[in-house]
Each structure stands twice: as C-alpha cells, then as structure tokens.
Amino acid sequence: GLDEKDPSPSPVASSSTPSWLPLFAIPALGGALFGYDIGATSAVVRLLGTGSSDLGSLDSLQLGLMASLPLLGAMLASGVIIGAGDAKIGRKTELYTASILYAVGTAIQSLSGSLDLILLGRIVYGLGIGVAMHAAPLYIAETTPSNLRGKLVSLKEAVIVLGIVAGYAAGALTNPSDPSAWRSIFEAALPVELAMFGLVSVLLTESPRWLALRGRKEEAVGALAKSQNMGREAAEIEVEEMIKFSNEGGGNTDMSFLERSEALLTDATNRKALTIG
C-alpha cells in the first residue's frame, strides 16, 4: 500500500540476488520510461506527420505540442514537489505515484480519439516523468550500500539511454501503413508501467533515511534491515549514524521553499555541487 508505516515483510533480498539490485532496478524503471518516451515520441511524430494516421492531418503546432507537452508536465510536477517539500510524502509513495501517472498518461494518449485528450495524456505522462526523476535518484542514493550508490545513481542515466533506444526500436518495428500504428508505440510502455507499480508494492520498503530524518527511527531500522538484508543491531547503528550526520550537517526536513532556495545558494556543500554541475 501507500502507507510508509506498513511493517509487513518485504522480500527485497534473496540468497541469489544482491540486496541492492531491486533497490536500484525498480526506481530505474522510472528513468527507462522517461527515455522510452523520448525515442517513442520521435517515431510517433514522424507517423503523425505523414497525415495518413487516424488523427488525420496535423499541423506543425499540433505535432510540436505532441512532442513537448511531457516536458511541461515534468516541469509542473517538479515545481509542485519543490514547493510542497517532501516532509510528508516518502520516496516509495512518489514512485507509486509516478507509475500511476505513467500508466494513466499512456492509457489516455493511446486510447483517446480526440487530439485534445491525447495532449492531456501527454501532460499526465510528463507529470509521471517529473515525479520519477525526483524520486528515483533519491531512493537509490538513500537505500543502496555506500560503496555502490554513486555508481548506481550514475548507472540510472544509462538506463534512460536504454529506454531511448527501446523507444526508437518500437518505432522501427511498427507498420507505417497502419493508421493507428502510433498508438501501439505508446501502448508498448504499459506493461513496464504496471510492472513498476507492482514491484514497488511488493519489493520496496520506504527509504530508511527518509524515515530516520523524520523521527521514525523504529520504522527506519526495520526498513533498513529488510532492504539490505541486515541484522537489526547493525541497522540500528547505521540509522543512528544517519541521524547524527544530519544533525551535524544542520539538516532540516521542515524548511520552507524560500529557506531551501537560500540554502541551495549559500551552503558551501551545495555551492560546490552547483559549480561542478
């Protein structure tokens, strides 16, 4: 369920699977779906541009909206997340939300007969991109082992590229003489979106760091023990270190939007990251 307080066991790790693998792979699906839309949109716009699709002849503005509206949706989602903060919404809930927005957006844009509804679906899909691109790197960084998290966060970018390639491949395999062929390109993402939703539910715990920094220490210990196949005593020590590190760094999870914006520019660590970026 969406409730981060759910204490039920989560079979994240097994004897044959590294405990970090689902912690990386499932959030990375959100990146793959972002990449897939980039590649798929190229093929869809090409097919719609011929004027022989079931939508009839579309002008350059309509084709441009088809391609660009997901970026608008992503910007809107990012703005809402930045403004509202994440004090109440956990990373797991964000991943749930992203998978739902992806699936709803895909359903609307691939099944609707009206161009206006299709464009609405493009915006909804873009909302999923914005939420996923916020939650996925944070979840990976906060749950995977410290000796791997940098590599895994970077590897997520490679998964986006794989998604782009898959989108182009879907377009290449589509029959261009079929007036509704463009719909099947979008629909091909739906199994991955549904899989993302199910896997988040079954395999992922809430981020232990997110829980710890919000005073939910016992839940954080339980989540860490499950997600990294760790003994409870070791998990308690690591959670204490999370809290200690955050306190020493002056971390504050309840800062306002203006306070976070100021910290982004004035904090020495943030300035260094911005400069490198």
Side-chain angles (χ1 to χ4, degrees):
L2 298 181
D3 186 1
E4 290 91 5
K5 295 182 179 180
D6 181 7
S8 59
S10 177
V12 172
S14 71
S15 58
S16 60
T17 304
S19 61
W20 55 264
L21 184 58
L23 303 177
F24 160 75
I26 298 171
L29 288 176
L33 289 166
F34 172 33
Y36 180 84
D37 189 70
I38 295 173
T41 298
S42 174
V44 167
V45 169
R46 174 176 53 81
L47 291 172
L48 295 180
T50 64
S52 59
S53 75
D54 55 4
L55 292 180
S57 179
L58 301 183
D59 60 34
S60 58
L61 175 60
Q62 292 169 324
L63 292 172
L65 289 174
M66 182 72 75
S68 62
L69 281 180
L71 297 179
L72 174 62
M75 289 176 60
L76 291 173
S78 299
V80 170
I81 291 171
I82 292 171
D86 59 358
K88 303 296 184 183
I89 304 175
R91 315 297 187 216
K92 181 177 178 178
T93 300
E94 286 190 61
L95 291 171
Y96 265 124
T97 303
S99 65
I100 292 171
L101 289 169
Y102 275 142
V104 171
T106 293
I108 295 174
Q109 67 190 9
S110 61
L111 299 177
S112 298
S114 160
L115 179 62
D116 290 340
L117 282 177
I118 292 169
L119 295 179
L120 174 62
R122 299 296 286 148
I123 294 175
V124 173
Y125 195 97
L127 293 173
I129 292 173
V131 176
M133 291 303 94
H134 176 263
L138 288 173
Y139 190 89
I140 293 169
E142 292 178 354
T143 59
T144 55
S146 58
N147 63 317
L148 292 175
R149 64 181 55 134
K151 295 177 182 177
L152 294 177
V153 170
S154 299
L155 188 59
K156 180 189 68 66
E157 306 305 315
V159 174
I160 294 176
V161 176
L162 289 176
I164 295 174
V165 173
Y168 282 126
L173 295 173
T174 302
N175 179 9
S177 63
D178 181 357
S180 62
W182 65 272
R183 298 180 186 273
S184 64
I185 298 175
F186 283 145
E187 290 168 354
L190 192 57
V192 179
E193 294 155 0
L194 296 177
M196 180 180 173
F197 179 86
L199 291 171
V200 168
S201 175
V202 174
L203 295 181
L204 297 190
T205 65
E206 182 50 83
S207 160
R209 185 176 185 277
W210 185 89
L211 291 168
L213 300 189
R214 281 149 188 84
R216 296 160 63 172
K217 181 178 174 182
E218 285 302 311
E219 293 173 71
V221 171
L224 185 62
K226 293 173 191 175
S227 64
Q228 295 198 21
N229 199 25
M230 182 183 293
R232 183 170 182 85
E233 184 176 344
E236 288 176 347
I237 293 173
E238 188 158 334
V239 167
E240 288 290 351
E241 290 178 351
M242 292 178 190
I243 297 172
K244 180 181 178 182
F245 180 80
S246 177
N247 291 338
E248 289 176 350
N252 185 350
T253 59
D254 298 317
M255 295 169 67
S256 69
F257 171 69
L258 291 177
E259 288 170 334
R260 288 196 300 273
S261 299
E262 182 181 356
L264 182 64
L265 298 174
T266 59
D267 182 84
T269 302
N270 291 336
R271 283 203 308 272
K272 181 178 180 181
L274 288 170
T275 301
I276 294 173

